[in-house]
Amino acid sequence: MTVRHFLTLQDLTPAELNAIMHRGIELKAMQQAGKIFEPLKNQTLAMIFEKSSTRTRISFETGMTQLGGHALFLSSRDTQLGRGEPIEDSARVISSMVDGIMIRTFGHDIVTIFAQHSSVPIINALTDDFHPCQLLADMQTYQEHRGSIQGKTVTWVGDGNNMCHSYINAAAQYDFKLRIACPEGYDPNMDLVNQHQDRVEIVRNTLEAAESSDLIVTDVWASMGQEEEQKLREKAFANYQVNQQVMQQANNDALFMHCLPAHRGEEVTADVIDAKDSVVWDEAENRLHAQKALLEFLMAQK
Ligand code: CP
Ligand code: NVA
């Protein structure tokens, strides 16, 4: 059996992503009803973290427990990875002992190399370029609140970062239109934009980008690894804040999402993120349910 990896949303077909989304909704209901479901009994997920995390660590670790398996937290600070052991060697060794590997790191090439040398599924839990697990949760959350996202318009406000790239991929995989409002100099990867130009466009004006939108999404102005650019970015992104004026441009039933952690008063105002159209708490909780569906898809014996 060939090993499947999840490095970007494009590693799964639209039909598989749709099935995982509906399975996430089902697993959530089962969990809430107190049903025990342990398809990953005796299986171990290694979780390699080279960057900080709250939601990702908790959701994967708890998800593995609920599925009857075990999760192993590995910080690069106290493994040989942090001391320069080659990625190829680490991938061979770690994958010889566990059943799946989740990685949060810097360069996307690190997860690609890991996958090339791993005998078990590799899950990208955020790189500088993509954050596909977050999109599983976001798409499940939209479905739960508003039904299918197919044919809808989504507006991304802010940095052309890893989350923005995953939204571009999602536009193709889940079939929606995406408007990206970002300042010049902070564009997403233009090869990726051009690849999906039938559904993705860059609109410099935030209000214009939000017009008649069904979902407004943003993220921090400075991502992990860009902390020293914070002040510079605060200036560059001053006109790229999601506030009430922006939300008012969108459709009446538009939702607001943010992968969190959020900075109130920077990329989003408190009156937007704490309002009723904001679904950020469901979005965060759905990391657990959506990833359980992913883990089951990649790791359960079929
Ligand atoms: N959204 C997200 O990935 O959160 P963490 O950085 O806390 O894992
Ligand atoms: N773009 C953010 C997402 C955090 C979940 C970062 O990479 O830091």
Side-chain angles (χ1 to χ4, degrees):
M1 205 180 72
T2 45
V3 177
R4 299 287 298 272
H5 302 293
F6 186 60
L7 307 188
T8 73
L9 289 172
Q10 266 56 11
D11 284 332
L12 302 183
T13 65
E16 287 169 337
L17 289 169
N18 200 43
I20 285 173
M21 179 174 69
H22 287 286
R23 185 62 174 157
I25 294 171
E26 224 167 73
L27 290 174
K28 183 176 183 174
M30 280 160 63
Q31 184 64 30
Q32 287 170 350
K35 193 165 184 274
I36 306 285
F37 176 62
E38 299 185 324
L40 300 188
K41 225 175 169 60
N42 281 322
Q43 295 206 38
T44 298
L45 176 76
M47 307 190 300
I48 299 170
F49 281 94
E50 299 204 80
K51 287 177 175 173
S52 305
S53 166
T54 297
R55 281 144 287 268
T56 303
R57 177 177 177 183
I58 296 171
S59 54
F60 270 110
E61 195 161 333
T62 305
M64 280 304 290
T65 303
Q66 291 180 0
L67 293 170
H70 173 68
L72 188 60
F73 176 77
L74 301 167
S75 155
S76 54
R77 271 194 294 278
D78 38 47
T79 58
Q80 301 290 2
L81 262 172
R83 296 182 61 249
E85 182 165 9
I87 299 164
E88 295 85 341
D89 295 2
S90 305
R92 283 193 194 96
V93 171
I94 299 171
S95 70
S96 73
M97 291 185 258
V98 303
D99 305 280
I101 302 174
M102 183 233 82
I103 308 175
R104 168 167 285 198
T105 188
F106 293 87
H108 191 75
D109 57 319
I110 296 172
V111 293
T112 307
I113 298 170
F114 233 100
Q116 281 161 357
H117 297 88
S118 169
S119 54
V120 299
I122 300 293
I123 298 171
N124 173 8
L126 183 147
T127 60
D128 290 343
D129 291 346
F130 296 101
H131 193 8
C133 291
Q134 183 68 51
L135 265 291
L136 298 182
D138 288 20
M139 294 299 102
Q140 179 174 330
T141 307
Y142 191 89
Q143 174 74 36
E144 288 173 345
H145 284 268
R146 296 286 184 264
S148 175
I149 201 162
Q150 189 170 23
K152 303 283 184 189
T153 298
V154 177
T155 302
W156 172 268
V157 180
D159 194 15
N161 63 11
N162 45 10
M163 275 297 298
C164 179
H165 291 155
S166 282
Y167 260 93
I168 297 172
N169 281 343
Q173 299 296 73
Y174 297 87
D175 190 17
F176 58 80
K177 293 216 177 305
L178 179 66
R179 292 195 208 121
I180 299 169
C182 61
E184 271 176 66
Y186 296 91
D187 290 347
N189 179 321
M190 287 312 287
D191 288 340
L192 194 60
V193 173
N194 292 334
Q195 213 178 304
H196 300 292
Q197 55 183 311
D198 51 328
R199 55 180 77 248
V200 177
E201 63 172 327
I202 298 200
V203 180
R204 295 284 173 215
N205 183 288
T206 307
L207 291 176
E208 202 183 304
E211 220 175 277
S212 308
S213 184
D214 299 294
L215 169 63
I216 309 280
V217 196
T218 191
D219 186 13
V220 290
W221 288 341
S223 285
M224 289 181 275
Q226 300 171 332
E227 289 78 6
E228 73 291 350
E229 294 177 33
Q230 176 67 29
K231 287 281 161 249
L232 180 78
R233 284 170 172 263
E234 279 173 22
K235 282 201 189 77
F237 287 93
N239 294 324
Y240 294 86
Q241 179 190 63
V242 180
N243 49 37
Q244 282 198 341
Q245 217 192 338
V246 172
M247 289 306 291
Q248 273 155 17
Q249 294 296 307
N251 284 337
N252 283 339
D253 64 348
L255 296 176
F256 171 76
M257 290 192 197
H258 188 312
C259 63
L260 306 178
H263 296 80
R264 288 171 177 74
E266 290 182 29
E267 74 274 7
V268 60
T269 54
D271 57 8
V272 167
I273 195 170
D274 297 320
K276 77 169 188 5
D277 292 331
S278 165
V279 289
V280 297
W281 313 122
D282 289 344
E283 188 187 356
E285 182 191 326
N286 280 339
R287 294 292 303 280
L288 170 65
H289 309 298
Q291 288 161 197
K292 280 173 70 181
L294 176 70
L295 291 166
E296 184 190 21
F297 176 84
L298 293 174
M299 290 166 65
Q301 305 303 329
K302 301 199 174 89

